[in-house]
Amino acid sequence: MTEHSPVTLDTAKAVPTLPDAQTVTSVKHWTDRLFSFRVTRPASLRFRSGEFVMIGLMGEPHPETGKIKPLLRAYSIASPAWDDELEFYSIKVQDGPLTSRLQHIQPGDEIILRPKPVGTLVHDALLPGKRIWFFSTGTGFAPFASLLREPETYEKFDEVIITHTCRDVAELEYSRQLIEELKADEMMQELIGTENLAKIRYYPTTTREQSPKMGRITTLLEDGTVFRDLGIDGISVDTDRAMVCGSMGLNVDIKAVLEGFGLEEGANSDPKHYVVEKAFVG
């Protein structure tokens, strides 16, 4: 295996050794399965909050030709469009071709970042509404970490409900801490407005470890628990819009639930009532 040699922060401004290279500026390990990291942002990169890019490392040499190709995966950008750096939230897969190595990156290392953002979890893909639902499982919270820090979210909606479902309580820490710091941060209060940050309704659930709220979000929607807990009548095509990012099971089940309420799936070219990120499964 060809290992990528770390560079120190003192040499981070040297000529990149990887194609489309960006330098890692910080790394935080949340659990033995989850970590987040920040990298420098290409000067030319423009994206809409909620979009994703392809990132990765160089793969192993081909056994016959010796050629090395980039090993890339789609990652939602967790930082908002106005941020000077790019943040990503990732799962660790011990035998995964990419994450088995990516989880060991350190500040000063380089990663490959293809600066061509795409994705469906953008405000342009939704019709106007009064309430926005962000449904996420696991690291599917990442695009909503971007959208929760995007002023446009609060300009377009009177209420912002973010649900995050994980197996264990510790896996909710990234979302819990981000929302807590978002509401307390003076810069965010000035940028978004304290009254707008008050629109956020955070609804975390676990499926294995005991917590204040147990269960898959789809089950809690179908039996009405979510609505009773939040004190709302339900989901209506006239007022509610939704974005979904998570496991394949969540995507399929949530689509059925939302369409049961009369919502139709939209796209960048055809805005409707809800959108699902199909490029991400985690």
Side-chain angles (χ1 to χ4, degrees):
M1 172 182 278
T2 300
E3 292 293 342
H4 173 58
S5 300
V7 296
T8 65
L9 286 175
D10 292 337
T11 61
K13 295 183 180 179
V15 177
T17 57
L18 295 177
D20 296 316
Q22 296 301 319
T23 303
V24 178
T25 60
S26 66
V27 181
K28 182 165 184 176
H29 294 271
W30 297 89
T31 71
D32 59 357
R33 296 183 67 251
L34 300 166
F35 72 109
S36 62
F37 58 98
R38 293 176 68 85
V39 304
T40 53
R41 176 174 178 169
S44 61
L45 177 62
R46 298 291 181 271
F47 70 95
R48 295 174 294 176
S49 294
E51 290 187 314
F52 67 87
V53 290
M54 302 297 290
I55 67 172
L57 299 169
M58 296 304 292
E60 297 184 28
H62 189 280
E64 297 177 2
T65 66
K67 291 185 178 180
I68 303 176
K69 294 183 178 181
L71 183 60
L72 304 172
R73 296 288 185 271
Y75 270 75
S76 293
I77 303 173
S79 47
W82 50 262
D83 203 325
D84 292 335
E85 294 184 337
L86 300 176
E87 180 180 338
F88 299 97
Y89 185 42
S90 177
I91 193 170
K92 304 176 188 179
V93 181
Q94 300 310 320
D95 58 351
L98 178 59
T99 59
S100 61
R101 295 169 56 199
L102 192 64
Q103 63 183 289
H104 299 298
I105 58 173
Q106 299 291 330
D109 289 351
E110 292 175 343
I111 68 163
I112 303 168
L113 189 150
R114 294 286 164 81
K116 297 180 180 179
V118 291
T120 57
L121 302 183
V122 292
H123 288 304
D124 294 343
L126 294 177
L127 294 171
K130 294 183 178 180
R131 180 166 50 217
I132 181 72
W133 295 79
F134 294 145
F135 294 109
S136 66
T137 59
T139 52
F141 181 82
F144 305 133
S146 175
L147 286 159
L148 285 168
R149 291 179 279 189
E150 170 58 58
E152 185 181 2
T153 298
Y154 306 92
E155 295 167 3
K156 288 183 173 289
F157 297 98
D158 298 331
E159 191 173 9
V160 180
I161 300 175
I162 170 71
T163 79
H164 191 198
T165 299
C166 295
R167 299 182 310 172
D168 308 316
V169 173
E171 295 176 345
L172 294 167
E173 189 61 17
Y174 177 79
S175 61
R176 186 201 66 77
Q177 193 171 120
L178 184 143
I179 292 172
E180 183 178 277
E181 293 177 353
L182 172 63
K183 292 184 175 183
D185 186 87
E186 290 185 3
M187 188 198 79
M188 297 306 301
Q189 292 173 358
E190 183 175 343
L191 176 66
I192 294 177
T194 304
E195 70 286 354
N196 282 326
L197 292 173
K199 296 177 180 180
I200 300 174
R201 310 282 303 276
Y202 178 48
Y203 195 85
T205 75
T206 57
T207 56
R208 293 189 185 178
E209 184 181 2
Q210 189 67 36
S211 71
K213 185 57 60 175
M214 300 282 296
R216 297 182 75 225
I217 190 62
T218 46
T219 301
L220 300 175
L221 284 167
E222 290 170 334
D223 67 14
T225 299
V226 174
F227 307 128
R228 290 191 295 273
D229 289 343
L230 296 176
I232 59 180
D233 294 333
I235 291 177
S236 165
V237 69
D238 296 326
T239 59
D240 293 87
R241 304 294 176 257
M243 295 186 181
V244 184
C245 189
S247 65
M248 188 62 69
L250 173 79
N251 290 354
V252 172
D253 293 346
I254 278 280
K255 282 167 61 77
V257 171
L258 295 177
E259 290 176 3
F261 286 113
L263 276 61
E264 298 179 28
E265 185 174 2
N268 279 271
S269 59
D270 185 23
K272 290 290 180 63
H273 311 116
Y274 80 91
V275 286
V276 177
E277 186 51 81
K278 300 180 180 65
F280 174 90
V281 178

